[in-house]
mmCIF file of all heavy atoms in Angstrom:
data_model
loop_
_atom_site.group_PDB
_atom_site.id
_atom_site.type_symbol
_atom_site.label_atom_id
_atom_site.label_comp_id
_atom_site.label_asym_id
_atom_site.label_seq_id
_atom_site.Cartn_x
_atom_site.Cartn_y
_atom_site.Cartn_z
ATOM 1 N N ILE A 1 267.767 -2.244 -134.899
ATOM 2 C CA ILE A 1 267.835 -2.890 -133.670
ATOM 3 C C ILE A 1 266.721 -3.899 -133.431
ATOM 4 O O ILE A 1 266.922 -4.978 -132.963
ATOM 5 C CB ILE A 1 267.888 -1.872 -132.431
ATOM 6 C CG1 ILE A 1 268.039 -2.633 -131.165
ATOM 7 C CG2 ILE A 1 266.618 -1.050 -132.411
ATOM 8 C CD1 ILE A 1 268.309 -1.706 -129.920
ATOM 9 N N ASP A 2 265.462 -3.594 -133.971
ATOM 10 C CA ASP A 2 264.384 -4.520 -133.791
ATOM 11 C C ASP A 2 264.634 -5.726 -134.669
ATOM 12 O O ASP A 2 264.118 -6.873 -134.316
ATOM 13 C CB ASP A 2 263.053 -3.858 -134.172
ATOM 14 C CG ASP A 2 262.576 -2.917 -133.136
ATOM 15 O OD1 ASP A 2 263.102 -3.032 -131.929
ATOM 16 O OD2 ASP A 2 261.789 -1.982 -133.413
ATOM 17 N N HIS A 3 265.348 -5.657 -135.708
ATOM 18 C CA HIS A 3 265.668 -6.770 -136.591
ATOM 19 C C HIS A 3 266.628 -7.712 -135.946
ATOM 20 O O HIS A 3 266.399 -8.898 -135.949
ATOM 21 C CB HIS A 3 266.278 -6.271 -137.897
ATOM 22 C CG HIS A 3 266.857 -7.396 -138.744
ATOM 23 N ND1 HIS A 3 266.084 -8.372 -139.450
ATOM 24 C CD2 HIS A 3 268.144 -7.812 -138.994
ATOM 25 C CE1 HIS A 3 266.877 -9.164 -140.140
ATOM 26 N NE2 HIS A 3 268.127 -8.910 -139.819
ATOM 27 N N PHE A 4 267.640 -7.195 -135.265
ATOM 28 C CA PHE A 4 268.618 -8.060 -134.497
ATOM 29 C C PHE A 4 268.061 -8.558 -133.249
ATOM 30 O O PHE A 4 268.369 -9.671 -132.783
ATOM 31 C CB PHE A 4 269.841 -7.271 -134.269
ATOM 32 C CG PHE A 4 270.785 -7.041 -135.502
ATOM 33 C CD1 PHE A 4 270.677 -5.932 -136.286
ATOM 34 C CD2 PHE A 4 271.688 -8.063 -135.824
ATOM 35 C CE1 PHE A 4 271.454 -5.786 -137.338
ATOM 36 C CE2 PHE A 4 272.487 -7.926 -136.831
ATOM 37 C CZ PHE A 4 272.382 -6.779 -137.666
ATOM 38 N N PHE A 5 267.132 -7.746 -132.643
ATOM 39 C CA PHE A 5 266.608 -8.223 -131.346
ATOM 40 C C PHE A 5 265.034 -8.094 -131.444
ATOM 41 O O PHE A 5 264.410 -7.107 -130.920
ATOM 42 C CB PHE A 5 267.069 -7.260 -130.204
ATOM 43 C CG PHE A 5 268.554 -7.332 -130.022
ATOM 44 C CD1 PHE A 5 269.324 -6.301 -130.549
ATOM 45 C CD2 PHE A 5 269.161 -8.414 -129.477
ATOM 46 C CE1 PHE A 5 270.734 -6.353 -130.430
ATOM 47 C CE2 PHE A 5 270.585 -8.445 -129.337
ATOM 48 C CZ PHE A 5 271.365 -7.377 -129.851
ATOM 49 N N PRO A 6 264.333 -9.004 -132.135
ATOM 50 C CA PRO A 6 262.902 -8.933 -132.291
ATOM 51 C C PRO A 6 262.141 -8.848 -131.035
ATOM 52 O O PRO A 6 260.979 -8.375 -130.982
ATOM 53 C CB PRO A 6 262.590 -10.145 -133.167
ATOM 54 C CG PRO A 6 263.737 -11.103 -132.964
ATOM 55 C CD PRO A 6 264.928 -10.195 -132.772
ATOM 56 N N GLU A 7 262.696 -9.372 -130.018
ATOM 57 C CA GLU A 7 261.990 -9.465 -128.691
ATOM 58 C C GLU A 7 261.788 -8.037 -128.164
ATOM 59 O O GLU A 7 260.919 -7.777 -127.319
ATOM 60 C CB GLU A 7 262.704 -10.288 -127.616
ATOM 61 C CG GLU A 7 264.070 -9.750 -127.208
ATOM 62 C CD GLU A 7 265.223 -10.219 -128.040
ATOM 63 O OE1 GLU A 7 264.956 -10.459 -129.277
ATOM 64 O OE2 GLU A 7 266.395 -10.307 -127.628
ATOM 65 N N ARG A 8 262.546 -7.073 -128.687
ATOM 66 C CA ARG A 8 262.439 -5.651 -128.132
ATOM 67 C C ARG A 8 261.074 -5.091 -128.445
ATOM 68 O O ARG A 8 260.540 -4.259 -127.658
ATOM 69 C CB ARG A 8 263.457 -4.807 -128.895
ATOM 70 C CG ARG A 8 263.468 -3.334 -128.459
ATOM 71 C CD ARG A 8 264.659 -2.621 -129.173
ATOM 72 N NE ARG A 8 264.695 -1.223 -128.854
ATOM 73 C CZ ARG A 8 264.061 -0.240 -129.382
ATOM 74 N NH1 ARG A 8 263.249 -0.476 -130.453
ATOM 75 N NH2 ARG A 8 264.202 1.024 -129.007
ATOM 76 N N LYS A 9 260.357 -5.492 -129.410
ATOM 77 C CA LYS A 9 259.075 -5.021 -129.840
ATOM 78 C C LYS A 9 258.066 -5.345 -128.781
ATOM 79 O O LYS A 9 257.005 -4.660 -128.699
ATOM 80 C CB LYS A 9 258.610 -5.605 -131.167
ATOM 81 C CG LYS A 9 259.447 -5.106 -132.311
ATOM 82 C CD LYS A 9 258.933 -5.768 -133.666
ATOM 83 C CE LYS A 9 259.822 -5.365 -134.788
ATOM 84 N NZ LYS A 9 259.391 -6.020 -136.065
ATOM 85 N N ASN A 10 258.252 -6.327 -127.995
ATOM 86 C CA ASN A 10 257.294 -6.779 -127.004
ATOM 87 C C ASN A 10 257.537 -6.070 -125.647
ATOM 88 O O ASN A 10 256.790 -6.320 -124.673
ATOM 89 C CB ASN A 10 257.373 -8.277 -126.740
ATOM 90 C CG ASN A 10 257.062 -9.058 -128.041
ATOM 91 O OD1 ASN A 10 256.112 -8.564 -128.772
ATOM 92 N ND2 ASN A 10 257.754 -10.173 -128.309
ATOM 93 N N ILE A 11 258.590 -5.182 -125.537
ATOM 94 C CA ILE A 11 258.880 -4.571 -124.316
ATOM 95 C C ILE A 11 258.058 -3.188 -124.299
ATOM 96 O O ILE A 11 258.307 -2.387 -125.123
ATOM 97 C CB ILE A 11 260.395 -4.311 -124.096
ATOM 98 C CG1 ILE A 11 261.175 -5.555 -124.252
ATOM 99 C CG2 ILE A 11 260.692 -3.555 -122.826
ATOM 100 C CD1 ILE A 11 262.637 -5.386 -124.182
ATOM 101 N N LYS A 12 257.185 -3.078 -123.260
ATOM 102 C CA LYS A 12 256.271 -1.829 -123.304
ATOM 103 C C LYS A 12 256.822 -0.709 -122.398
ATOM 104 O O LYS A 12 256.660 0.389 -122.643
ATOM 105 C CB LYS A 12 254.897 -2.337 -122.885
ATOM 106 C CG LYS A 12 254.280 -3.392 -123.795
ATOM 107 C CD LYS A 12 254.176 -2.927 -125.217
ATOM 108 C CE LYS A 12 253.594 -3.957 -126.087
ATOM 109 N NZ LYS A 12 253.541 -3.581 -127.558
ATOM 110 N N GLY A 13 257.363 -1.115 -121.206
ATOM 111 C CA GLY A 13 257.753 -0.072 -120.296
ATOM 112 C C GLY A 13 258.896 0.823 -120.719
ATOM 113 O O GLY A 13 259.810 0.239 -121.432
ATOM 114 N N LYS A 14 258.926 2.068 -120.471
ATOM 115 C CA LYS A 14 259.950 2.984 -120.882
ATOM 116 C C LYS A 14 261.281 2.519 -120.247
ATOM 117 O O LYS A 14 262.331 2.461 -120.972
ATOM 118 C CB LYS A 14 259.628 4.432 -120.457
ATOM 119 C CG LYS A 14 258.423 4.981 -121.101
ATOM 120 C CD LYS A 14 258.144 6.393 -120.563
ATOM 121 C CE LYS A 14 256.860 6.968 -121.147
ATOM 122 N NZ LYS A 14 256.534 8.295 -120.578
ATOM 123 N N VAL A 15 261.305 2.239 -118.950
ATOM 124 C CA VAL A 15 262.552 1.937 -118.274
ATOM 125 C C VAL A 15 263.057 0.537 -118.718
ATOM 126 O O VAL A 15 264.278 0.355 -118.970
ATOM 127 C CB VAL A 15 262.411 1.906 -116.751
ATOM 128 C CG1 VAL A 15 263.639 1.368 -116.064
ATOM 129 C CG2 VAL A 15 262.110 3.315 -116.230
ATOM 130 N N ALA A 16 262.168 -0.441 -118.936
ATOM 131 C CA ALA A 16 262.561 -1.742 -119.382
ATOM 132 C C ALA A 16 263.148 -1.672 -120.790
ATOM 133 O O ALA A 16 264.127 -2.295 -121.106
ATOM 134 C CB ALA A 16 261.280 -2.638 -119.373
ATOM 135 N N LYS A 17 262.552 -0.924 -121.669
ATOM 136 C CA LYS A 17 263.099 -0.768 -123.048
ATOM 137 C C LYS A 17 264.451 -0.047 -123.023
ATOM 138 O O LYS A 17 265.338 -0.416 -123.725
ATOM 139 C CB LYS A 17 262.085 -0.022 -123.920
ATOM 140 C CG LYS A 17 262.581 0.171 -125.330
ATOM 141 C CD LYS A 17 261.471 0.676 -126.296
ATOM 142 C CE LYS A 17 260.526 -0.454 -126.622
ATOM 143 N NZ LYS A 17 259.646 -0.090 -127.704
ATOM 144 N N LEU A 18 264.533 0.918 -122.196
ATOM 145 C CA LEU A 18 265.839 1.667 -122.053
ATOM 146 C C LEU A 18 266.958 0.715 -121.486
ATOM 147 O O LEU A 18 268.003 0.743 -122.047
ATOM 148 C CB LEU A 18 265.613 2.877 -121.132
ATOM 149 C CG LEU A 18 266.864 3.847 -121.076
ATOM 150 C CD1 LEU A 18 267.344 4.250 -122.442
ATOM 151 C CD2 LEU A 18 266.483 5.068 -120.218
ATOM 152 N N ASN A 19 266.611 -0.063 -120.471
ATOM 153 C CA ASN A 19 267.565 -1.011 -120.003
ATOM 154 C C ASN A 19 268.010 -2.047 -121.142
ATOM 155 O O ASN A 19 269.180 -2.286 -121.365
ATOM 156 C CB ASN A 19 266.974 -1.847 -118.847
ATOM 157 C CG ASN A 19 267.463 -1.309 -117.536
ATOM 158 O OD1 ASN A 19 268.605 -1.288 -117.249
ATOM 159 N ND2 ASN A 19 266.422 -0.982 -116.716
ATOM 160 N N PHE A 20 267.035 -2.450 -121.921
ATOM 161 C CA PHE A 20 267.307 -3.404 -122.942
ATOM 162 C C PHE A 20 268.203 -2.683 -124.033
ATOM 163 O O PHE A 20 269.225 -3.346 -124.427
ATOM 164 C CB PHE A 20 266.014 -3.816 -123.671
ATOM 165 C CG PHE A 20 266.219 -4.873 -124.704
ATOM 166 C CD1 PHE A 20 266.159 -6.185 -124.477
ATOM 167 C CD2 PHE A 20 266.461 -4.491 -125.986
ATOM 168 C CE1 PHE A 20 266.314 -7.167 -125.389
ATOM 169 C CE2 PHE A 20 266.620 -5.451 -126.991
ATOM 170 C CZ PHE A 20 266.604 -6.831 -126.676
ATOM 171 N N ASP A 21 267.890 -1.528 -124.360
ATOM 172 C CA ASP A 21 268.795 -0.747 -125.430
ATOM 173 C C ASP A 21 270.148 -0.495 -124.885
ATOM 174 O O ASP A 21 271.167 -0.656 -125.584
ATOM 175 C CB ASP A 21 268.018 0.476 -125.766
ATOM 176 C CG ASP A 21 266.850 0.282 -126.590
ATOM 177 O OD1 ASP A 21 266.607 -0.770 -126.990
ATOM 178 O OD2 ASP A 21 266.079 1.264 -126.767
ATOM 179 N N ILE A 22 270.309 -0.109 -123.591
ATOM 180 C CA ILE A 22 271.573 0.155 -123.047
ATOM 181 C C ILE A 22 272.475 -1.012 -123.052
ATOM 182 O O ILE A 22 273.672 -0.949 -123.534
ATOM 183 C CB ILE A 22 271.481 0.639 -121.624
ATOM 184 C CG1 ILE A 22 270.799 2.093 -121.609
ATOM 185 C CG2 ILE A 22 272.823 0.682 -120.914
ATOM 186 C CD1 ILE A 22 270.418 2.550 -120.062
ATOM 187 N N ILE A 23 271.925 -2.176 -122.731
ATOM 188 C CA ILE A 23 272.718 -3.432 -122.715
ATOM 189 C C ILE A 23 273.082 -3.900 -124.009
ATOM 190 O O ILE A 23 274.180 -4.215 -124.374
ATOM 191 C CB ILE A 23 271.981 -4.535 -121.868
ATOM 192 C CG1 ILE A 23 271.838 -4.054 -120.403
ATOM 193 C CG2 ILE A 23 272.660 -5.804 -121.981
ATOM 194 C CD1 ILE A 23 270.933 -4.917 -119.522
ATOM 195 N N ASN A 24 272.051 -4.045 -124.910
ATOM 196 C CA ASN A 24 272.228 -4.655 -126.203
ATOM 197 C C ASN A 24 272.755 -3.888 -127.230
ATOM 198 O O ASN A 24 273.515 -4.244 -128.135
ATOM 199 C CB ASN A 24 270.881 -5.278 -126.612
ATOM 200 C CG ASN A 24 270.428 -6.539 -125.749
ATOM 201 O OD1 ASN A 24 270.989 -7.657 -125.811
ATOM 202 N ND2 ASN A 24 269.517 -6.198 -124.828
ATOM 203 N N ALA A 25 272.383 -2.598 -127.379
ATOM 204 C CA ALA A 25 272.803 -1.715 -128.357
ATOM 205 C C ALA A 25 274.231 -1.055 -128.017
ATOM 206 O O ALA A 25 275.028 -0.750 -128.912
ATOM 207 C CB ALA A 25 271.840 -0.581 -128.668
ATOM 208 N N PHE A 26 274.463 -0.897 -126.748
ATOM 209 C CA PHE A 26 275.674 -0.209 -126.325
ATOM 210 C C PHE A 26 276.628 -1.012 -125.562
ATOM 211 O O PHE A 26 277.748 -1.280 -125.990
ATOM 212 C CB PHE A 26 275.241 1.088 -125.605
ATOM 213 C CG PHE A 26 274.420 2.027 -126.363
ATOM 214 C CD1 PHE A 26 273.055 2.005 -126.340
ATOM 215 C CD2 PHE A 26 275.038 2.916 -127.239
ATOM 216 C CE1 PHE A 26 272.263 2.946 -127.031
ATOM 217 C CE2 PHE A 26 274.259 3.769 -128.018
ATOM 218 C CZ PHE A 26 272.890 3.783 -127.880
ATOM 219 N N VAL A 27 276.322 -1.442 -124.348
ATOM 220 C CA VAL A 27 277.277 -2.069 -123.405
ATOM 221 C C VAL A 27 277.831 -3.299 -124.022
ATOM 222 O O VAL A 27 279.142 -3.465 -123.998
ATOM 223 C CB VAL A 27 276.546 -2.455 -122.098
ATOM 224 C CG1 VAL A 27 277.537 -3.209 -121.232
ATOM 225 C CG2 VAL A 27 276.126 -1.178 -121.346
ATOM 226 N N LEU A 28 277.127 -4.201 -124.541
ATOM 227 C CA LEU A 28 277.691 -5.490 -125.095
ATOM 228 C C LEU A 28 278.528 -5.229 -126.384
ATOM 229 O O LEU A 28 279.226 -6.204 -126.793
ATOM 230 C CB LEU A 28 276.524 -6.513 -125.409
ATOM 231 C CG LEU A 28 275.855 -6.956 -124.190
ATOM 232 C CD1 LEU A 28 274.671 -7.939 -124.643
ATOM 233 C CD2 LEU A 28 276.719 -7.612 -123.244
ATOM 234 N N ARG A 29 278.431 -4.093 -126.995
ATOM 235 C CA ARG A 29 279.143 -3.798 -128.167
ATOM 236 C C ARG A 29 280.543 -3.329 -127.885
ATOM 237 O O ARG A 29 281.422 -3.306 -128.695
ATOM 238 C CB ARG A 29 278.404 -2.803 -129.055
ATOM 239 C CG ARG A 29 276.923 -3.129 -129.268
ATOM 240 C CD ARG A 29 276.791 -4.189 -130.439
ATOM 241 N NE ARG A 29 277.173 -5.501 -129.977
ATOM 242 C CZ ARG A 29 276.252 -6.361 -129.397
ATOM 243 N NH1 ARG A 29 275.100 -5.999 -129.049
ATOM 244 N NH2 ARG A 29 276.627 -7.529 -129.062
ATOM 245 N N GLY A 30 280.820 -2.898 -126.593
ATOM 246 C CA GLY A 30 282.059 -2.297 -126.271
ATOM 247 C C GLY A 30 283.219 -3.242 -126.488
ATOM 248 O O GLY A 30 284.268 -2.841 -127.123
ATOM 249 N N PRO A 31 283.237 -4.471 -126.030
ATOM 250 C CA PRO A 31 284.331 -5.352 -126.336
ATOM 251 C C PRO A 31 284.577 -5.671 -127.862
ATOM 252 O O PRO A 31 285.688 -5.846 -128.230
ATOM 253 C CB PRO A 31 283.863 -6.677 -125.585
ATOM 254 C CG PRO A 31 283.032 -6.187 -124.486
ATOM 255 C CD PRO A 31 282.264 -5.064 -125.139
ATOM 256 N N GLU A 32 283.502 -5.663 -128.592
ATOM 257 C CA GLU A 32 283.551 -5.897 -130.051
ATOM 258 C C GLU A 32 284.187 -4.626 -130.661
ATOM 259 O O GLU A 32 285.086 -4.872 -131.540
ATOM 260 C CB GLU A 32 282.128 -6.043 -130.617
ATOM 261 C CG GLU A 32 281.424 -7.286 -130.104
ATOM 262 C CD GLU A 32 279.997 -7.350 -130.519
ATOM 263 O OE1 GLU A 32 279.484 -6.366 -131.145
ATOM 264 O OE2 GLU A 32 279.295 -8.357 -130.211
ATOM 265 N N TYR A 33 283.911 -3.454 -130.238
ATOM 266 C CA TYR A 33 284.588 -2.317 -130.760
ATOM 267 C C TYR A 33 286.090 -2.297 -130.429
ATOM 268 O O TYR A 33 286.927 -1.988 -131.274
ATOM 269 C CB TYR A 33 283.933 -1.016 -130.116
ATOM 270 C CG TYR A 33 282.570 -0.708 -130.467
ATOM 271 C CD1 TYR A 33 281.721 0.015 -129.570
ATOM 272 C CD2 TYR A 33 281.968 -1.094 -131.636
ATOM 273 C CE1 TYR A 33 280.435 0.270 -129.849
ATOM 274 C CE2 TYR A 33 280.668 -0.819 -131.952
ATOM 275 C CZ TYR A 33 279.886 -0.094 -131.061
ATOM 276 O OH TYR A 33 278.527 0.172 -131.354
ATOM 277 N N TYR A 34 286.414 -2.753 -129.187
ATOM 278 C CA TYR A 34 287.754 -2.871 -128.791
ATOM 279 C C TYR A 34 288.563 -3.815 -129.619
ATOM 280 O O TYR A 34 289.661 -3.464 -130.041
ATOM 281 C CB TYR A 34 287.850 -3.320 -127.393
ATOM 282 C CG TYR A 34 289.180 -3.592 -126.763
ATOM 283 C CD1 TYR A 34 290.221 -2.730 -127.028
ATOM 284 C CD2 TYR A 34 289.476 -4.698 -125.985
ATOM 285 C CE1 TYR A 34 291.533 -2.927 -126.504
ATOM 286 C CE2 TYR A 34 290.695 -4.980 -125.415
ATOM 287 C CZ TYR A 34 291.713 -4.040 -125.696
ATOM 288 O OH TYR A 34 292.930 -4.364 -125.191
#
């Protein structure tokens, strides 16, 4: 995930990082899976 989204490494807060992961690793992938 850090390779595809290098900006993730700069996110320090737990909630901010979790939001980022939810959106980019999971939510946005749903239509692609479909």
Side-chain angles (χ1 to χ4, degrees):
I1 185 171
D2 285 340
H3 169 75
F4 283 93
F5 302 102
E7 66 272 27
R8 181 178 182 268
K9 295 179 181 179
N10 300 321
I11 302 173
K12 302 301 180 184
K14 295 177 187 177
V15 173
K17 180 168 282 190
L18 186 53
N19 260 302
F20 185 91
D21 290 350
I22 290 170
I23 293 170
N24 292 283
F26 296 98
V27 174
L28 294 179
R29 309 282 73 84
E32 299 170 354
Y33 295 151
Y34 175 44

